[in-house]
Amino acid sequence: AGAGAGADNGGAPAGEGGSDKKRGIGEVALTFVNKDGSKTEVFAQLDENLMNVAKENQLDVEGACGGCCACGTCHMILDEDMFKKLDAPPEDELDMLDLLDEAGTLTPTSRLGCQVEVTPALE
């Protein structure tokens, strides 16, 4: 897959990865691209959301609402290939993304990390 762009939260998964850590059962490899362009490779547990994966790996993601889609602080800009693999955002996420659009931070591949579930297709 390609590389993700930096995001308000400090990282966006690019859809590929690996690290010195060994992959566990039920994990996929992801790469987050940080604000400074550096990459952080992680293994993410299936069925976890991207916001939690980023936070668990000490990436710069706030997630002020705790992942209940009530803020935009887990905004991520996804790699286009990864974005295309996802289902369309639910209505409550679209509403929150609209607020980000008003702030001028929305991109065509923006998603809220708390609403994107890790699946094998993201690897």
Side-chain angles (χ1 to χ4, degrees), residues 15-114:
E16 60 185 39
S19 72
D20 292 337
K21 178 185 167 196
K22 294 188 190 259
R23 179 193 311 245
I25 295 173
E27 291 184 330
V28 298
L30 298 175
T31 300
F32 284 81
V33 180
N34 303 297
K35 289 179 188 177
D36 65 4
S38 65
K39 294 181 180 182
T40 302
E41 298 175 339
V42 303
F43 290 118
Q45 187 66 42
L46 293 174
D47 300 325
E48 185 61 85
N49 67 55
L50 293 180
M51 180 196 74
N52 286 337
V53 171
K55 289 177 84 163
E56 289 165 4
N57 287 279
Q58 292 78 47
L59 298 175
D60 186 18
V61 177
E62 185 176 346
C65 72
C68 60
C69 200
C71 72
T73 61
C74 66
H75 173 228
M76 296 185 178
I77 301 169
L78 303 182
D79 163 275
E80 190 171 338
D81 291 335
M82 178 182 271
F83 184 84
K84 289 178 180 180
K85 294 175 183 178
L86 300 174
D87 291 333
E91 192 63 37
D92 55 346
E93 182 181 359
L94 290 173
D95 292 343
M96 200 53 56
L97 290 170
D98 284 343
L99 294 175
L100 293 173
D101 193 27
E102 292 173 17
T105 58
L106 194 68
T107 74
T109 61
S110 286
R111 291 293 302 264
L112 297 181
C114 69

